[in-house]
Amino acid sequence: MSSRGFRAQLYNNARVICPLCGTRRARRGCPALGKQICAVCCGTKRLIEIQCPSDCTWLASAREHPPAIAVRQQQRDMGLLLQFVRDFSRRQSQLFLLVTTFIIRYEAPELQRPADEDVAEAMGALASTFETSSRGVIYEHRPASLTASHLMNALKPVLLEAGKGGGTPFERDAVLVLRRVAESVATVRASEPGNARAFLDLLGRVMQATAGDEQAAEPPAQDQPRLIVP
């Protein structure tokens, strides 16, 4: 069934809450999910968390006629990310990319979908764990929330694998980057105090903007370099 036909079946007068964010009104029929979602989730999760079919009218419209407000938002988002990594070395910038990419693609356990606060908490606890390790002491700092703990537990082995053989220099880089991510969360949240996922939404928009180019220019797997080179 085409996306046009699918959307026609979703018209109704009842107030439907978006199942992805759980807060905004669902106004767009999503052919990939088979349900209605809100415009914000459609825009930020398309091609990232949502595998949009090629005949999706929302996807086609966004590609062909990006609104001026979306262009300005994209420029603002990229400006903020560049500001966050402005003083980083190449390895630290790659590590920041690894962490933020993992965060936005993270598949949380049921009912444990993280908000910005959980991200900041997980990054802070993991940074403290690496900081303690760099001093020769093995101690795992734990976040207060269960959701943040799940995120930390999922990210930690990814970082350990990326920094294998890097020793103390890698741990110090990890501390710096993880604390910067936590600071970035606070910066973005301050600009959107009413949005509990302002930072996560920003990451989603940036990844969505680059997803098409990455798919078109993706090199063979054997030619892809490791993100982190200790």
Side-chain angles (χ1 to χ4, degrees), residues 147-205:
T147 301
S149 292
H150 282 306
L151 175 58
M152 174 182 166
N153 290 341
L155 176 58
K156 185 177 179 181
V158 174
L159 292 180
L160 291 176
E161 176 63 26
K164 188 176 294 183
T168 300
F170 172 81
E171 292 173 334
R172 290 173 178 167
D173 281 342
V175 171
L176 176 62
V177 169
L178 291 166
R179 294 206 186 284
R180 182 66 59 83
V181 173
E183 293 168 5
S184 301
V185 172
T187 298
V188 177
R189 283 293 305 280
S191 66
E192 297 183 54
N195 184 0
R197 289 175 56 87
F199 179 73
L200 290 166
D201 286 348
L202 180 149
L203 293 183
R205 289 192 299 268

Side-chain angles (χ1 to χ4, degrees), residues 43-133:
T44 59
K45 302 179 187 304
R46 133 186 345 137
L47 297 178
I48 302 171
E49 297 181 31
I50 302 174
Q51 300 303 312
C52 309
S54 58
D55 66 342
C56 175
T57 55
W58 302 114
L59 176 62
S61 177
R63 283 176 170 172
E64 295 173 9
H65 308 289
I69 189 171
V71 174
R72 290 195 296 270
Q73 179 72 70
Q74 187 179 114
Q75 292 172 341
R76 172 182 174 275
D77 292 341
M78 291 303 299
L80 278 173
L81 284 183
L82 290 175
Q83 176 185 334
F84 297 151
V85 300
R86 63 192 178 281
D87 55 349
F88 278 176
S89 66
R90 177 176 175 271
R91 184 169 64 180
Q92 290 164 352
S93 296
Q94 291 176 324
L95 185 53
F96 185 91
L97 174 62
L98 174 64
V99 172
T100 52
T101 299
F102 178 88
I103 289 172
I104 199 60
R105 292 179 175 171
Y106 167 64
E107 296 183 5
E110 187 175 1
L111 303 179
Q112 295 294 331
R113 185 166 178 261
D116 287 349
E117 184 176 350
D118 300 306
V119 172
E121 196 175 323
M123 298 305 105
L126 194 49
S128 295
T129 297
F130 276 110
E131 188 171 40
T132 302
S133 177

